[in-house]
């Protein structure tokens, strides 16, 4: 399958600071990427859908001004957690859709995740 | 009611056992059904996907979908300690994935 990377793999920051997480598709061009959040022993919850060259679509209850998403190229999407607080501590996972596989149900490939801890 | 329900476990079995993992769902519009494996502190990896009702087999893994009952299953034969992970079912609608809570599986040597 296709490879998706995330950077950093873990980050610790102070409350009130902003943190940027990168998601890259390494061997395919992804017009659509997704950002998920996963709390311990919980499922993946979709936060937003990121489309290259346009504004992200956020799920209900996700603050778009707090979680800034930029999808400036076909291989890179970034999630910036602004003014992070301890309750934002979580495991953030991105996925990228391979348009060459669209419609067959298996076209999303997941990154390894970024563990954010806000002190 | 959640759209996708999955027993979180934990489930502990001896090596070599047959494991049965299940999910139920409420939205009849779901078209694709996936099973992902997630090791601790890692992203999920796709194990199997199926479309519509029926069975699909891949090595030691078999996925079943019963759309009439809104019920999907994953069977693991001859389970190995390396199968110890969290297994998440997921369903696709309009390009989005809706995940179950995940079942934590431990296979004891």
């Amino acid at each position: 399958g296709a490879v998706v990377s995330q950077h950093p793999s873990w980050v610790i920051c102070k409350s009130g600071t902003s943190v940027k997480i990168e998601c890259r598709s390494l061997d395919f061009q992804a017009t659509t990427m997704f950002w998920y959040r996963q709390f311990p022993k919980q499922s993946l919850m979709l936060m937003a859908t990121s489309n290259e060259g346009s504004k992200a679509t956020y799920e209900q209850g996700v603050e778009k001004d707090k979680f800034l998403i930029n999808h400036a190229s076909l291989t890179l999407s970034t999630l910036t957690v602004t003014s992070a607080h301890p309750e934002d501590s979580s495991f953030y996972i991105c996925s990228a859709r391979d348009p060459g596989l669209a419609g067959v149900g298996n076209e999303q490939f997941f990154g390894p995740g970024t563990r954010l801890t806000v002190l | 009611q959640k759209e996708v329900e999955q027993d979180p476990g934990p489930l502990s079995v001896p090596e070599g056992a047959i494991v049965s993992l299940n999910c139920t769902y409420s939205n009849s519009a779901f078209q694709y059904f996936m099973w992902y494996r997630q090791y601790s502190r890692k992203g999920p990896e796709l194990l199997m996907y199926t479309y519509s009702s029926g069975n699909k087999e891949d090595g030691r893994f078999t996925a079943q979908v019963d759309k009439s009952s809104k019920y999907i299953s994953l069977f693991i034969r001859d389970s190995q300690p390396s199968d110890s992970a969290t297994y998440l079912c997921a369903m696709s609608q309009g390009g989005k994935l809706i995940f179950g809570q995940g079942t934590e599986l431990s296979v004891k040597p």
Side-chain angles (χ1 to χ4, degrees):
Chain A
V3 180
V4 176
S5 70
Q6 275 184 248
H7 178 79
S9 56
W10 59 271
V11 57
I12 302 172
C13 69
K14 293 182 179 179
S15 185
T17 61
S18 293
V19 175
K20 180 186 284 188
I21 302 170
E22 294 184 348
C23 177
R24 293 181 185 273
S25 57
L26 298 185
D27 50 4
F28 66 99
Q29 293 184 327
T31 53
T32 304
M33 291 184 174
F34 302 88
W35 287 96
Y36 297 83
R37 181 168 53 184
Q38 185 179 35
F39 292 106
K41 297 194 181 296
Q42 299 282 323
S43 186
L44 279 76
M45 298 300 296
L46 180 64
M47 298 175 67
T49 303
S50 169
N51 294 299
E52 188 267 338
S54 64
K55 290 183 179 180
T57 303
Y58 291 81
E59 295 299 303
Q60 191 174 8
V62 178
E63 299 176 60
K64 61 180 181 181
D65 294 330
K66 182 168 185 62
F67 298 99
L68 300 179
I69 291 172
N70 184 278
H71 194 156
S73 79
L74 288 171
T75 59
L76 173 64
S77 176
T78 60
L79 168 69
T80 301
V81 184
T82 62
S83 186
H85 291 284
E87 58 265 30
D88 298 323
S89 299
S90 188
F91 194 49
Y92 291 87
I93 306 173
C94 73
S95 71
R97 175 184 285 164
D98 184 342
L101 297 175
V104 298
N106 65 336
E107 69 271 22
Q108 275 195 46
F109 298 93
F110 285 83
T114 296
R115 184 161 302 281
L116 170 63
T117 301
V118 185
L119 301 176
Chain B
Q1 181 189 9
K2 294 180 181 178
E3 281 194 287
V4 181
E5 298 273 4
Q6 184 177 8
D7 186 340
L11 179 63
S12 182
V13 301
E15 183 176 355
I18 296 174
V19 176
S20 173
L21 304 168
N22 311 292
C23 288
T24 59
Y25 62 96
S26 57
N27 189 343
S28 58
F30 289 138
Q31 294 181 307
Y32 293 98
F33 305 88
M34 279 72 75
W35 284 96
Y36 287 84
R37 178 174 60 196
Q38 186 178 25
Y39 292 111
S40 181
R41 300 174 181 267
K42 300 291 184 184
E45 57 175 320
L46 181 67
L47 276 178
M48 299 190 71
Y49 72 96
T50 53
Y51 175 73
S52 192
S53 289
N55 293 0
K56 187 174 183 178
E57 188 173 318
D58 184 2
R60 295 185 296 112
F61 299 90
T62 299
Q64 283 185 352
V65 174
D66 182 349
K67 292 190 77 174
S68 62
S69 301
K70 297 189 179 68
Y71 187 88
I72 70 170
S73 301
L74 177 71
F75 297 97
I76 307 175
R77 291 183 298 280
D78 188 25
S79 56
Q80 303 294 311
S82 58
D83 294 328
S84 297
T86 296
Y87 290 80
L88 298 132
C89 64
M91 304 182 189
S92 175
Q93 182 188 18
K96 293 183 181 180
L97 292 179
I98 311 297
F99 284 88
Q101 188 175 345
T103 300
E104 185 180 349
L105 172 66
S106 177
V107 181
K108 304 294 186 184

